Structures are given as structure tokens and as C-alpha cells.
Amino acid sequence: MNRVDLIGRLTKDIEVRYTVKGTAVARFTLEVKRRFKQEGQQDVEFINCTACGNLGENAAKYVGKGSQIGISGRIQVRTYETKYRDWE
């Protein structure tokens, strides 16, 4: 099972782009606070999220930077290789 539930705040307004076929793709970063590392110190994770279709359009329409939201979804790790390697 691959399921995650998160509650956090948006770090900036949601950015919506459209695919060639017209499907909305919304991208945003969620700031999620973790339990205390030490007494009085809270740790924060910044999680990149993607929402597609009407869900993404509605999220961009109704919530903005600093809004606290809850999301349910799945984790997907993506990697890619570029054909240019400037560091070598």
C-alpha cells in the first residue's frame, strides 16, 4: 500500500499549467511540521506536490500562500537524466 496523509501550509500560491491535451497540472510545496527534535525545537519538511485535473484547478482557485490544507495521496519518486553534463 502506498498512501500518505499530510497537513501543512502552502509555501506559495499554487501554479497551474496545462498539458497539450488540456489537462490541468497544479504544483505546490507543502510545509509540514514534524515532531520536536529537542524540547522547544520543531523540525519542518518541504514536500513538493502535484494535483491533476479539476482537483488542481479548484485548489489553485480557493487556497493560496499560507493556507493550511490537508491532502491524501501517494508518494512517487521521479528521477531523470539530462544529456548535458556540465559538472564533468
Side-chain angles (χ1 to χ4, degrees):
M1 180 185 325
N2 183 2
R3 181 188 165 111
V4 64
D5 297 313
L6 300 169
I7 297 174
R9 294 195 179 273
L10 294 175
T11 61
K12 60 183 178 181
D13 288 334
I14 296 173
E15 178 183 319
V16 179
R17 294 186 181 180
Y18 293 87
T19 65
V20 176
K21 293 184 179 183
T23 304
V25 178
R27 294 183 183 196
F28 55 96
T29 302
L30 193 63
E31 175 192 48
V32 178
K33 293 182 179 176
R34 295 174 58 187
R35 294 187 180 182
F36 293 105
K37 290 192 312 189
Q38 295 177 353
E39 192 62 37
Q41 292 183 339
Q42 209 166 35
D43 197 16
V44 177
E45 296 286 338
F46 295 95
I47 303 184
N48 295 322
C49 303
T50 304
C52 298
N54 289 336
L55 181 64
E57 286 180 318
N58 288 334
K61 186 176 179 181
Y62 294 110
V63 296
K65 178 181 178 179
S67 297
Q68 186 172 17
I69 63 170
I71 61 171
S72 294
R74 64 185 171 90
I75 294 178
Q76 180 178 350
V77 179
R78 296 184 236 175
T79 59
Y80 65 92
E81 290 185 30
T82 62
K83 64 180 185 177
Y84 302 107
R85 294 186 179 211
D86 294 334
W87 61 87
E88 290 181 353

